[in-house]
Amino acid sequence: MDASSSDTTDQLPARPVLEGPDIARMLTRIAHEIVERAKGADDVVLLGIPTRGVFLARRLAAKLEEITGRTVPVGSLDITMYRDDLRLGPARTLARTDIPADGIEGRVVLLVDDVLFSGRTIRAALDALGDIGRPRAVQLAVLVDRGHRELPIRADYVGKNLPTSLRETVKVQLTEEDGRDAVLLGVKHPAPAGER
C-alpha cells in the first residue's frame, strides 16, 4: 500500500465510499480489461504486494480463470527491504515473496496493490522485481488511485479514481484481512498550532 493510511488514532471517523459489491464489480471489470489487453492472459503472472494486494491478486486470478478457463499464476512480492522510508519509522515486519513455479522470465507481470498514492511502493516493487528476474513487461493494477504522485508512475488498470486531499486517508478493507470489503475515506486530525 502506498502510504494510503495511518493509525486510526490520528484520524476522524472514516466513511465508506465503496462497499463489497462495488469492489466485486471493479475486479470483474479489471479482469476483462486484462484479458482484452493481454489477448487472453496466456503469459500473465499476477504478483500482489502485501498485504491487501495479495488478496486482490488472488481474486483477480480467480476471475481471470472464470473468463478464460485457464489457471493464471499468482504470487506475492515483498517490497519491505526496497522501501526508501525504512529509516523513517519503526521496523517493519517482512512479508513473504512467493513467485509461481514457472517464474517471471519473459512473462507479463501484473503487480497488484490496493491503493496507489505517491508511487513509492510501486518503485520499490519494480526494484524487488528486478532482483528476481526479467519479465517481458510489467503492468500495474490497483483498486484505488487517489492521486498525489511523487514519482512518474501510473496504473494500467484502476478500479476507482478517488481524488483526495493530502489531509484525507484512504483505507481498503478486505474480508480476508478485515472481515468485510470496503474502501473508507477519512480525514487526519489537524496538528495543534504549536506542532505544525
Side-chain angles (χ1 to χ4, degrees):
M1 180 168 55
D2 253 336
S4 60
S5 60
S6 57
D7 282 341
T8 54
T9 57
D10 65 343
Q11 296 176 21
L12 297 170
R15 65 178 173 86
V17 291
L18 298 169
E19 299 284 356
D22 306 311
I23 291 171
R25 275 192 303 276
M26 287 188 282
L27 291 174
T28 298
R29 179 177 43 80
I30 289 172
H32 281 281
E33 290 174 8
I34 292 167
V35 170
E36 185 176 328
R37 182 184 267 183
K39 297 177 177 45
D42 290 342
D43 63 348
V44 171
V45 175
L46 301 177
L47 292 181
I49 298 172
T51 298
R52 289 167 185 82
V54 176
F55 300 129
L56 292 171
R58 290 177 187 154
R59 291 185 190 188
L60 271 176
K63 290 193 179 290
L64 288 168
E65 186 173 349
E66 285 176 21
I67 296 166
T68 66
R70 290 185 303 276
T71 301
V72 176
V74 62
S76 61
L77 180 66
D78 178 37
I79 55 120
T80 304
M81 299 310 294
Y82 296 87
R83 296 186 65 95
D84 62 5
D85 61 355
L86 277 178
R87 347 168 257 244
L88 302 178
R92 295 175 179 261
T93 304
L94 293 176
R96 183 171 176 204
T97 291
D98 179 25
I99 303 302
D102 290 340
I104 63 168
E105 296 292 325
R107 310 284 299 267
V108 175
V109 171
L110 182 59
L111 296 173
V112 182
D113 204 8
D114 56 353
V115 178
L116 179 58
F117 183 29
S118 68
R120 293 183 180 277
T121 293
I122 304 309
R123 187 222 29 99
L126 292 170
D127 289 347
L129 200 56
D131 282 350
I132 293 168
R134 190 167 196 271
R136 180 168 59 81
V138 179
Q139 297 177 349
L140 174 61
V142 297
L143 188 63
V144 176
D145 183 345
R146 64 169 293 188
H148 304 288
R149 216 74 76 240
E150 296 172 6
L151 298 172
I153 290 175
R154 70 169 179 80
D156 300 278
Y157 308 98
V158 177
K160 175 79 171 168
N161 285 297
L162 188 62
T164 62
S165 77
L166 288 172
R167 288 191 57 236
E168 291 176 307
T169 60
V170 175
K171 172 76 173 162
V172 172
Q173 294 184 328
L174 296 176
T175 304
E176 298 90 333
E177 181 78 7
D178 309 294
R180 76 170 191 159
D181 284 352
V183 175
L184 306 175
L185 184 64
V187 179
K188 296 178 189 175
H189 282 294
E195 296 180 15
R196 289 192 183 136

